[in-house]
Amino acid sequence: MPGMWWVMGIVMAAALLSGYLTWTAHRVERVHVRARSAQRALDAHLLRRAAAAAVVAEAAENTELYLAARLALDAAPGEREAAENDLTRQLESIDLTGTDPATHALIVHSRRVVLARQVHTDQVRDALTARRRPLVRVLRMARRYPRPQYFDIVDPYTTMSRLAPPAVAIEAG
């Protein structure tokens, strides 16, 4: 009978180890899925901001802002950060205090970019932290997922923080 306790102990340890490995693999998958979703959300908000900037530029006949917005909309993945930074600099150089709906939409989308970028940064950090865990590296649990990348752009918060909140409510989405 004393040998039975050893067998039960080994079975119990194997079950606990198996449960922990399953939980860890699921955690790695979840943080990568969230990082990918955050990247898509950030991309969508950046596209909306660029489109809103193009509308405002057309109305104000601001050629430089329009070109920066078009470059941001049409940029290849490798050129996206530079194009978004140029658009942010162009937005900082203009006065966004108009009362028209297009200006309000641009302000709202710019604020959403700030939030989406923060969420994306947090999710990428979590995914990279999960990838660095020794057990994850040894067992190569993250090999199925591409390594998430930070999206380094100038934070448009400085421009948008000096503005009053828009008077017109714009539906989320």
Side-chain angles (χ1 to χ4, degrees), residues 2-37:
M4 182 125 168
W5 288 108
W6 281 102
V7 172
M8 292 287 287
I10 291 173
V11 168
M12 192 65 117
L16 287 173
L17 180 63
S18 174
Y20 179 72
L21 291 175
T22 301
W23 177 83
T24 302
H26 187 62
R27 169 86 177 133
V28 168
E29 178 185 11
R30 277 193 332 258
V31 296
H32 281 83
V33 167
R34 279 194 237 143
R36 194 175 20 206
S37 295

Side-chain angles (χ1 to χ4, degrees), residues 70-148:
R70 287 304 315 169
L71 284 174
L73 285 168
D74 299 334
E79 302 164 350
R80 188 77 187 274
E81 289 176 1
E84 292 296 340
N85 284 330
D86 187 41
L87 177 58
T88 299
R89 282 189 288 279
Q90 289 296 324
L91 288 172
E92 287 178 347
S93 69
I94 65 169
D95 183 29
L96 292 176
T97 57
T99 59
D100 63 299
T103 301
H104 287 300
L106 177 56
I107 292 168
V108 167
H109 291 306
S110 293
R111 287 180 176 158
R112 288 180 182 166
V113 164
V114 172
L115 294 173
R117 181 172 178 260
Q118 182 61 48
V119 169
H120 176 259
T121 300
D122 291 346
Q123 296 301 326
V124 169
R125 183 196 61 230
D126 291 349
L128 293 176
T129 299
R131 291 174 81 92
R132 282 192 293 266
R133 293 181 187 263
L135 190 61
V136 172
R137 282 195 329 245
V138 168
L139 297 178
R140 297 176 29 154
M141 291 180 180
R143 71 180 178 270
R144 294 183 7 199
Y145 311 104
R147 184 178 181 84

